[in-house]
């Protein structure tokens, strides 16, 4: 959950990188080890860990170390908060476009009535 305004900024910054989005996409399928996340990426394991650190800092991913294996899991609460923020803005713009459409329809109707004798 977003506890501070900066958390949303961190989340969007984390998702700005295509490699991190690919990791998030993989985690949508379920938990994965760092090695599993690194397999399709052309980068060192150290770089993958750094990307995971950014995702974790943004609240998108939780990790747990059991023995020698670090398992990563998507934090769906954080994604819901981002989705809610986007949905609120989309609803605002949809209302504005609806009002604009109604205004234009009214203008068109007024223009057509002006053409009548």
């Amino acid at each position: 959950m977003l506890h501070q305004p900066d958390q949303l900024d961190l989340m969007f910054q984390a998702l700005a990188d295509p490699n991190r989005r690919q990791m998030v996409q993989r985690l949508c399928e379920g938990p994965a080890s760092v090695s599993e996340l690194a397999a399709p990426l052309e980068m060192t394991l150290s770089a993958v860990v750094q990307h995971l650190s950014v995702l974790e800092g943004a609240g998108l991913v939780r990790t747990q170390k059991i023995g020698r294996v670090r398992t990563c899991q998507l934090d769906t609460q954080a994604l819901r908060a981002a989705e809610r923020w986007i949905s609120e803005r989309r609803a605002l713009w949809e209302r504005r476009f609806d009002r604009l459409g109604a205004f234009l329809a009214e203008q068109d109707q007024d223009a057509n009535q002006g053409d009548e004798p």
Side-chain angles (χ1 to χ4, degrees):
M1 184 113 156
L2 299 178
H3 297 289
Q4 48 188 316
D6 295 338
Q7 193 67 27
L8 192 61
D9 293 341
L10 291 173
M11 191 177 311
F12 285 125
Q13 287 172 358
L15 292 172
D17 183 87
N19 291 308
R20 290 193 286 265
R21 285 194 309 272
Q22 187 174 349
M23 290 178 198
V24 168
Q25 182 64 39
R26 167 52 189 87
L27 291 172
C28 285
E29 298 170 13
S33 69
V34 173
S35 298
E36 290 172 326
L37 291 173
L41 302 172
E42 295 183 17
M43 63 177 69
T44 65
L45 200 55
S46 174
V48 170
V49 169
Q50 287 177 332
H51 281 292
L52 283 169
S53 177
V54 172
L55 290 169
E56 200 170 11
L60 291 164
V61 171
R62 287 181 279 136
T63 63
Q64 179 181 15
K65 189 169 184 179
I66 300 174
R68 294 174 45 144
V69 178
R70 181 167 295 281
T71 303
C72 306
Q73 185 173 332
L74 199 59
D75 186 342
T76 55
Q77 283 291 94
L79 287 176
R80 279 192 211 102
E83 180 182 16
R84 187 172 43 254
W85 186 87
I86 291 169
S87 293
E88 289 169 358
R89 270 99 208 127
R90 180 179 45 236
L92 172 72
W93 278 101
E94 286 173 352
R95 286 191 303 273
R96 288 178 178 174
F97 284 131
D98 289 344
R99 287 195 311 263
L100 177 61
F103 173 77
L104 293 174
E106 184 179 308
Q107 293 297 318
D108 190 41
Q109 185 178 20
D110 290 347
N112 288 337
Q113 288 176 354
D115 293 342
E116 296 176 7

